[in-house]
Amino acid sequence: MATSKSKGSPSRKLMHGLSSDVQLHIRGVPFSLNRELLAARSEKLAALLKENPEDDLSHLLGDIPTDSETFELVARFCHGFDVSLSPENVIKVLCLAHYLGMTEIKSSNNLAKKACFYFQNNILPSWNKCIKALKSAETILQQAADLSLVDACAESIITKVLQDPGLLGEPMRNVTTTDDDSENEENAYKPNVRRRLFVLDWKSEDLTLLSIALYEPIIRAMVLREVPLEYVASSLFHYLNKWVFPGAKGEDDDPSPYERNSQREIIEAVERLMPQERGLIPCSLLSQMLRSAIILDADTECKSGLEIRIGKQLDQATVKDLLIPAQGYAKEEQYDTESVKRILKNFYSNYTSKDTSGLVVVAELVDDFLAEVASDIDLKLNTFLSLAELSQAASGGTNRNSDGMYRAIDIYLDKHRYLTDREREEICRVLDCSKMSPEACEHAAQNEKLPVRVMVQILFSVQLKLKDTVAKRTPGGPNNRLLKLEADDEDARGTSSSEEEMMKAEMEKMGSKVIELEKECDMMRREIQRSNYQHRNQNGKTSMWKEMKRKLGCMTSMHETNCHVKKKKVHPR
């Protein structure tokens, strides 16, 4: 139909040589059409031709809602040729036929009627064809919406999903996986479109083909019509995986500004659509969304909504889920710890269970997170302490072990050697020495990075535990009956009583040493501050440490419980 194409096309031959041709340019493509045939089918073109007898009407059709391919189909129909309708062109043809006034009022068996019949009987009954038709309408969305064609397709899709939610994809399996089991994790969270047998047209199309402008209202309507939320969540994940995550993961080149804007719009819309129920969407996916939202500079509501969702099920998260890279040119730390703090606060504010196991799990998660980020040389002391205090406060009163916190503190002190004595004491303030395992205590007792006062506290805690152990094994304690079976004679009982008295004396001695040591530490600190550090030699340092160990009692008969004598490195489990 276009003069620049298809030299041997039937339409070109039919119109060639006619004296009453009219010239049109549609989206830059020229057309030469018969004036009378156009006027017989189109009410709009008939009026334009009557008012404007000149040959070229292009300037009057500048706002025509179509493309050159669709206009050629309409022109062929006007010239008496069959029009091949399909899911990819029927909505465009319908919109153009309506715009040109090609209705039954103008002439019988007109194009609008034929296209409407095809749409009603061939498109709406089919899942695949509805999606293809909607996809084709994205360039003329407003015109299609005004004619209720979008609503008709959407209603057909929603009705089918209500009958078979599996059309949206199988629900995600929210399983617990290890960091090494990445392949299992990927399969666990991957929704698969349900295959159907013996259906001729079944290679299932899914809603991820649609733009967010079409996808969002359809999904919102499904939620209102009570489509099972696990299937909705599956579709949302599939949509993100198609349109946002590949670029956000860095697998492709950096997206253009237009692509970034599109991805940001998508992730904000998907966050609004996400169900609020705990556990429907895995923490790993929510964390991946939050990273993408930060990278794409999504709005505050989007990022806050994702943090709240992660917080609600933080006891299902892993350390990897909390490692959110900091963004921006002025970033001071490697990870976005402020976001992690907000997530923690959301978890604690929403935790209503009487079972404290969830609190312990999250406290241990924070310990592991702190150990992971502690090696960041730019991690501020206040940031470390604020996270540790959140964990400590929420898990207070539980029987959780302090080894994880000790490990994080040890790594932080090792990577931040410039800290002052006061700062090192401040960071150790969050460590509960009484809940450290024997292995951790042994390591800490040899750890010269720890402040002396903290080491004394750990040694004192070891002595208290030892005292409790001896007390329980004496006559009258919980294990009295067992002791009588093992040692029933008077000598054994006398020995136990003697050991208890010796331990009591040692504990009193240790208490005095703690007080004395604190005074000595204060005096030494002042002495060091007054001294000239550049002229102080290594021998002086060594003798000072030996003097400190002597005051601790590490060079006396107490060496069995003090670990400075034998410098064996043992790491906490």
Side-chain angles (χ1 to χ4, degrees), residues 455-478:
M455 296 175 67
V456 172
Q457 290 175 352
I458 292 172
L459 293 171
F460 191 63
S461 176
V462 171
Q463 296 290 345
L464 287 176
K465 290 178 182 178
L466 186 58
K467 177 184 177 182
D468 290 341
T469 301
V470 172
K472 290 177 182 178
R473 298 181 67 87
T474 57

Side-chain angles (χ1 to χ4, degrees), residues 240 244-245 262-272 288-290 292-293 296 298 302 306:
L240 287 170
V244 178
F245 289 160
S262 176
Q263 290 176 348
R264 179 169 59 246
E265 182 183 359
I266 288 170
I267 206 163
E268 289 172 355
V270 170
E271 188 278 326
R272 291 192 296 268
Q288 190 177 9
M289 283 187 67
L290 180 57
S292 297
L296 296 170
C302 174
L306 291 169

Side-chain angles (χ1 to χ4, degrees), residues 1-51:
M1 190 64 59
T3 58
S4 61
K5 299 180 182 179
S6 307
K7 287 185 178 181
S9 69
S11 56
R12 283 276 300 155
K13 291 179 181 179
L14 179 67
M15 293 180 290
H16 183 69
L18 293 176
S19 60
S20 58
D21 283 358
V22 60
Q23 305 301 316
L24 295 174
H25 287 78
I26 305 299
R27 300 290 183 262
V29 179
F31 290 87
S32 181
L33 307 172
N34 183 272
R35 184 185 298 266
E36 286 77 14
L37 294 177
L38 290 179
R41 288 291 190 179
S42 170
E43 186 174 357
K44 185 178 184 68
L45 290 176
L48 288 175
L49 290 169
K50 183 177 180 180
E51 296 172 3

Side-chain angles (χ1 to χ4, degrees), residues 87 109 144 185 242 245 291 359 367 410 547 567:
N109 295 320
E185 181 178 0
K242 182 177 181 67
F245 289 160
R291 291 189 190 97
L359 296 174
D367 290 349
D410 182 51
E547 178 67 15
K567 296 278 186 174

Side-chain angles (χ1 to χ4, degrees), residues 371-403:
E372 189 71 27
V373 302
S375 57
D376 178 12
I377 194 65
D378 295 321
L379 183 65
K380 297 177 181 177
L381 176 62
N382 289 339
T383 301
F384 186 98
L385 285 173
S386 60
L387 285 166
E389 286 168 352
L390 276 173
S391 170
Q392 186 185 51
S395 61
T398 65
N399 59 348
R400 88 172 171 106
N401 188 284
S402 293
D403 287 7

Side-chain angles (χ1 to χ4, degrees), residues 338-361:
E338 290 301 317
S339 178
V340 174
K341 283 193 279 187
R342 289 191 295 268
I343 289 171
L344 276 170
K345 290 176 181 177
N346 285 323
F347 172 77
Y348 295 136
S349 63
N350 286 284
Y351 194 84
T352 57
S353 174
K354 295 180 179 179
D355 184 5
T356 60
S357 60
L359 296 174
V360 174
V361 167

Side-chain angles (χ1 to χ4, degrees), residues 211-228:
S211 68
I212 195 64
L214 286 168
Y215 180 82
E216 182 177 7
I218 291 175
I219 293 295
R220 193 175 301 282
M222 287 184 184
V223 173
L224 292 175
R225 301 275 285 276
E226 298 183 351
V227 170

Side-chain angles (χ1 to χ4, degrees), residues 220-275:
R220 193 175 301 282
M222 287 184 184
V223 173
L224 292 175
R225 301 275 285 276
E226 298 183 351
V227 170
L229 294 180
E230 59 268 27
Y231 292 94
V232 172
S234 174
S235 180
L236 292 172
F237 169 77
H238 199 17
Y239 197 87
L240 287 170
N241 214 37
K242 182 177 181 67
W243 296 107
V244 178
F245 289 160
K249 289 177 182 176
E251 296 173 356
D252 301 325
D253 295 335
D254 290 339
S256 66
Y258 174 80
E259 290 172 330
R260 283 181 62 87
N261 290 338
S262 176
Q263 290 176 348
R264 179 169 59 246
E265 182 183 359
I266 288 170
I267 206 163
E268 289 172 355
V270 170
E271 188 278 326
R272 291 192 296 268
L273 294 169
M274 275 187 168

